[in-house]
Amino acid sequence: MPEGDLKDLKTKLEIGSAVLRISTDFFHDQGFVQLLPVMLGRSTDPLGPDPGSMIVKTPEVEYNGTLLYTMNSMILHKQVAVKKLGRIFILSPNIRLEKPERKATGKHLFEFTQLDFEISDAKKEDVIALMEKYFATLSNELQKYKELFAKIDLEPFMFRPPFARYTTHELERKYGKEWELAASKDHSQPFWALCHKREFYDKEDESEPGHYLNYDLIYPLGFGEALSGAEREHAYGRITGRMGKDKLEMKVYQAYLDEAKAGFVPSAGAGFGMERLVRFLTRSSHVGDVQMFRRVPGEEIRV
Ligand code: ASN
């Protein structure tokens, strides 16, 4: 690795450390309880109706006679936890064995950490307001780290919420089906992409079937997706209905479904990747450039 890259990596890791501190402080200040992550579970996030279009497989471990999966995300566990504790967040390590060709997107890793949070009885607007407050706070707090940014010839990015909002239908009309990169390049501040057909746990608007109460935040300047989240399907019958439409194998989700049957509370939340945030703040060409231990799809693992 050339000398300059090593120096840059050190600075980027220091910026990453500041971001972790600011972020956890923010969620604590907002009354959230920080939980420790789980990395194995009897069910995990299916990742879209067709995980095969993105990941090679979800790793499985047989332990003590039980089949366990590594976490694609902790969404299913968040729905269980939020019943007991109304506001939770987790720095959650996720393993997603992305296809090697995904290296080219610059934003995919096969191992990363997201700050994942969930709030009982919350709505879409509550999460959007919370995240806009978070990004404004992040900009203010990062002013204290100006000298660090100067080492890589940057200034801390000024997030200026409220961010623009579009439905994904509007974005598709303007930029085509693969709107994310073009729309991101066309903006100088993050923007919300609303109403996107995704996993079964994102709530469908019952008054407008085919519409979803979810939200992605997209970074500007070509950096793409920052965050995804939603109000959740919490009623057992609706969950099984959505799983059926996605042709998911119910028995894989039995433990989760048992919890749903016992009763979930309405909730909303989101998750955002820590490495993607640091990549954006440091304008790095690949998200792996901000990791101490690179986990880039298709790349040889050194350590
Ligand atoms: N964390 C996301 C959410 O809260 C789910 C994901 O990572 N796929 O909706």
Side-chain angles (χ1 to χ4, degrees), residues 110-128:
F110 64 84
E111 195 180 333
F112 67 95
T113 296
Q114 64 172 313
L115 194 156
D116 218 1
F117 65 94
E118 198 71 18
I119 310 169
S120 63
D121 293 315
K123 298 280 187 206
K124 178 171 106 178
E125 290 304 329
D126 301 318
V127 175
I128 289 178

mmCIF file of all heavy atoms in Angstrom, residues 110-128:
data_model
loop_
_atom_site.group_PDB
_atom_site.id
_atom_site.type_symbol
_atom_site.label_atom_id
_atom_site.label_comp_id
_atom_site.label_asym_id
_atom_site.label_seq_id
_atom_site.Cartn_x
_atom_site.Cartn_y
_atom_site.Cartn_z
ATOM 1 N N PHE A 110 -18.993 -7.406 2.161
ATOM 2 C CA PHE A 110 -19.639 -8.666 2.589
ATOM 3 C C PHE A 110 -19.695 -8.777 4.116
ATOM 4 O O PHE A 110 -20.300 -9.689 4.652
ATOM 5 C CB PHE A 110 -19.016 -9.897 1.922
ATOM 6 C CG PHE A 110 -17.583 -10.157 2.257
ATOM 7 C CD1 PHE A 110 -17.256 -10.848 3.410
ATOM 8 C CD2 PHE A 110 -16.567 -9.730 1.416
ATOM 9 C CE1 PHE A 110 -15.932 -11.102 3.728
ATOM 10 C CE2 PHE A 110 -15.244 -9.971 1.731
ATOM 11 C CZ PHE A 110 -14.915 -10.650 2.889
ATOM 12 N N GLU A 111 -19.083 -7.811 4.791
ATOM 13 C CA GLU A 111 -19.188 -7.742 6.246
ATOM 14 C C GLU A 111 -19.133 -6.265 6.628
ATOM 15 O O GLU A 111 -18.181 -5.573 6.247
ATOM 16 C CB GLU A 111 -18.019 -8.497 6.868
ATOM 17 C CG GLU A 111 -18.184 -8.796 8.325
ATOM 18 C CD GLU A 111 -16.974 -9.545 8.899
ATOM 19 O OE1 GLU A 111 -16.282 -10.247 8.152
ATOM 20 O OE2 GLU A 111 -16.735 -9.386 10.096
ATOM 21 N N PHE A 112 -20.145 -5.791 7.328
ATOM 22 C CA PHE A 112 -20.190 -4.373 7.668
ATOM 23 C C PHE A 112 -20.988 -4.200 8.958
ATOM 24 O O PHE A 112 -21.530 -5.173 9.490
ATOM 25 C CB PHE A 112 -20.836 -3.559 6.532
ATOM 26 C CG PHE A 112 -22.300 -3.858 6.325
ATOM 27 C CD1 PHE A 112 -23.290 -3.075 6.919
ATOM 28 C CD2 PHE A 112 -22.694 -4.924 5.546
ATOM 29 C CE1 PHE A 112 -24.643 -3.351 6.742
ATOM 30 C CE2 PHE A 112 -24.048 -5.228 5.369
ATOM 31 C CZ PHE A 112 -25.016 -4.438 5.961
ATOM 32 N N THR A 113 -21.058 -2.969 9.432
ATOM 33 C CA THR A 113 -21.826 -2.695 10.661
ATOM 34 C C THR A 113 -22.850 -1.605 10.390
ATOM 35 O O THR A 113 -22.505 -0.554 9.845
ATOM 36 C CB THR A 113 -20.887 -2.244 11.795
ATOM 37 O OG1 THR A 113 -20.015 -3.338 12.090
ATOM 38 C CG2 THR A 113 -21.662 -1.890 13.055
ATOM 39 N N GLN A 114 -24.098 -1.888 10.744
ATOM 40 C CA GLN A 114 -25.093 -0.817 10.631
ATOM 41 C C GLN A 114 -25.567 -0.396 12.013
ATOM 42 O O GLN A 114 -25.610 -1.195 12.943
ATOM 43 C CB GLN A 114 -26.273 -1.221 9.745
ATOM 44 C CG GLN A 114 -27.152 -2.353 10.202
ATOM 45 C CD GLN A 114 -28.393 -2.489 9.310
ATOM 46 O OE1 GLN A 114 -29.077 -1.504 8.991
ATOM 47 N NE2 GLN A 114 -28.680 -3.700 8.878
ATOM 48 N N LEU A 115 -25.895 0.889 12.119
ATOM 49 C CA LEU A 115 -26.564 1.361 13.315
ATOM 50 C C LEU A 115 -28.054 1.153 13.055
ATOM 51 O O LEU A 115 -28.639 1.771 12.168
ATOM 52 C CB LEU A 115 -26.244 2.841 13.607
ATOM 53 C CG LEU A 115 -26.639 3.293 15.017
ATOM 54 C CD1 LEU A 115 -25.807 4.493 15.454
ATOM 55 C CD2 LEU A 115 -28.114 3.601 15.159
ATOM 56 N N ASP A 116 -28.616 0.208 13.783
ATOM 57 C CA ASP A 116 -29.966 -0.269 13.532
ATOM 58 C C ASP A 116 -30.838 0.146 14.715
ATOM 59 O O ASP A 116 -30.478 -0.137 15.865
ATOM 60 C CB ASP A 116 -29.893 -1.802 13.426
ATOM 61 C CG ASP A 116 -30.819 -2.361 12.372
ATOM 62 O OD1 ASP A 116 -31.502 -1.573 11.698
ATOM 63 O OD2 ASP A 116 -30.858 -3.601 12.231
ATOM 64 N N PHE A 117 -31.945 0.829 14.462
ATOM 65 C CA PHE A 117 -32.782 1.269 15.588
ATOM 66 C C PHE A 117 -34.256 1.022 15.320
ATOM 67 O O PHE A 117 -34.669 0.888 14.152
ATOM 68 C CB PHE A 117 -32.532 2.757 15.928
ATOM 69 C CG PHE A 117 -32.931 3.715 14.829
ATOM 70 C CD1 PHE A 117 -34.190 4.303 14.825
ATOM 71 C CD2 PHE A 117 -32.057 4.031 13.810
ATOM 72 C CE1 PHE A 117 -34.570 5.190 13.820
ATOM 73 C CE2 PHE A 117 -32.422 4.908 12.791
ATOM 74 C CZ PHE A 117 -33.690 5.493 12.796
ATOM 75 N N GLU A 118 -35.029 0.961 16.379
ATOM 76 C CA GLU A 118 -36.461 0.696 16.255
ATOM 77 C C GLU A 118 -37.181 1.396 17.395
ATOM 78 O O GLU A 118 -36.659 1.477 18.520
ATOM 79 C CB GLU A 118 -36.685 -0.828 16.310
ATOM 80 C CG GLU A 118 -38.023 -1.302 15.789
ATOM 81 C CD GLU A 118 -38.213 -1.193 14.269
ATOM 82 O OE1 GLU A 118 -37.213 -1.065 13.528
ATOM 83 O OE2 GLU A 118 -39.376 -1.218 13.836
ATOM 84 N N ILE A 119 -38.381 1.920 17.107
ATOM 85 C CA ILE A 119 -39.142 2.701 18.092
ATOM 86 C C ILE A 119 -40.582 2.179 18.108
ATOM 87 O O ILE A 119 -41.234 2.129 17.050
ATOM 88 C CB ILE A 119 -39.171 4.204 17.696
ATOM 89 C CG1 ILE A 119 -37.763 4.719 17.372
ATOM 90 C CG2 ILE A 119 -39.835 5.037 18.774
ATOM 91 C CD1 ILE A 119 -37.740 6.097 16.713
ATOM 92 N N SER A 120 -41.076 1.828 19.299
ATOM 93 C CA SER A 120 -42.461 1.332 19.355
ATOM 94 C C SER A 120 -43.436 2.481 19.130
ATOM 95 O O SER A 120 -43.150 3.637 19.475
ATOM 96 C CB SER A 120 -42.737 0.636 20.685
ATOM 97 O OG SER A 120 -42.597 1.560 21.736
ATOM 98 N N ASP A 121 -44.574 2.163 18.534
ATOM 99 C CA ASP A 121 -45.653 3.128 18.266
ATOM 100 C C ASP A 121 -45.215 4.332 17.435
ATOM 101 O O ASP A 121 -45.860 5.378 17.496
ATOM 102 C CB ASP A 121 -46.276 3.636 19.588
ATOM 103 C CG ASP A 121 -47.000 2.512 20.302
ATOM 104 O OD1 ASP A 121 -47.736 1.771 19.633
ATOM 105 O OD2 ASP A 121 -46.784 2.351 21.520
ATOM 106 N N ALA A 122 -44.115 4.188 16.705
ATOM 107 C CA ALA A 122 -43.660 5.331 15.898
ATOM 108 C C ALA A 122 -44.167 5.211 14.466
ATOM 109 O O ALA A 122 -44.560 4.133 14.002
ATOM 110 C CB ALA A 122 -42.138 5.395 15.894
ATOM 111 N N LYS A 123 -44.175 6.336 13.772
ATOM 112 C CA LYS A 123 -44.601 6.410 12.376
ATOM 113 C C LYS A 123 -43.431 6.890 11.530
ATOM 114 O O LYS A 123 -42.437 7.410 12.052
ATOM 115 C CB LYS A 123 -45.762 7.422 12.236
ATOM 116 C CG LYS A 123 -46.993 7.042 13.029
ATOM 117 C CD LYS A 123 -47.786 5.997 12.276
ATOM 118 C CE LYS A 123 -49.116 5.715 12.958
ATOM 119 N NZ LYS A 123 -49.620 4.373 12.682
ATOM 120 N N LYS A 124 -43.649 6.767 10.220
ATOM 121 C CA LYS A 124 -42.666 7.232 9.234
ATOM 122 C C LYS A 124 -42.148 8.644 9.551
ATOM 123 O O LYS A 124 -40.933 8.882 9.557
ATOM 124 C CB LYS A 124 -43.383 7.205 7.870
ATOM 125 C CG LYS A 124 -42.614 7.668 6.703
ATOM 126 C CD LYS A 124 -43.412 7.341 5.449
ATOM 127 C CE LYS A 124 -44.030 8.603 4.878
ATOM 128 N NZ LYS A 124 -44.765 8.346 3.632
ATOM 129 N N GLU A 125 -43.073 9.555 9.851
ATOM 130 C CA GLU A 125 -42.666 10.956 10.082
ATOM 131 C C GLU A 125 -41.764 11.092 11.304
ATOM 132 O O GLU A 125 -40.888 11.957 11.336
ATOM 133 C CB GLU A 125 -43.890 11.869 10.246
ATOM 134 C CG GLU A 125 -44.683 12.092 8.980
ATOM 135 C CD GLU A 125 -43.859 12.652 7.801
ATOM 136 O OE1 GLU A 125 -42.887 13.397 8.033
ATOM 137 O OE2 GLU A 125 -44.205 12.313 6.651
ATOM 138 N N ASP A 126 -41.981 10.250 12.318
ATOM 139 C CA ASP A 126 -41.144 10.318 13.524
ATOM 140 C C ASP A 126 -39.707 9.938 13.181
ATOM 141 O O ASP A 126 -38.757 10.557 13.658
ATOM 142 C CB ASP A 126 -41.660 9.349 14.604
ATOM 143 C CG ASP A 126 -43.096 9.649 15.014
ATOM 144 O OD1 ASP A 126 -43.411 10.840 15.166
ATOM 145 O OD2 ASP A 126 -43.891 8.706 15.175
ATOM 146 N N VAL A 127 -39.555 8.901 12.365
ATOM 147 C CA VAL A 127 -38.196 8.432 12.024
ATOM 148 C C VAL A 127 -37.502 9.451 11.111
ATOM 149 O O VAL A 127 -36.319 9.766 11.295
ATOM 150 C CB VAL A 127 -38.242 7.027 11.373
ATOM 151 C CG1 VAL A 127 -36.850 6.608 10.912
ATOM 152 C CG2 VAL A 127 -38.791 6.006 12.363
ATOM 153 N N ILE A 128 -38.252 10.000 10.161
ATOM 154 C CA ILE A 128 -37.653 11.004 9.273
ATOM 155 C C ILE A 128 -37.181 12.215 10.092
ATOM 156 O O ILE A 128 -36.052 12.687 9.922
ATOM 157 C CB ILE A 128 -38.660 11.393 8.149
ATOM 158 C CG1 ILE A 128 -38.790 10.215 7.171
ATOM 159 C CG2 ILE A 128 -38.229 12.682 7.441
ATOM 160 C CD1 ILE A 128 -39.771 10.419 6.032
#
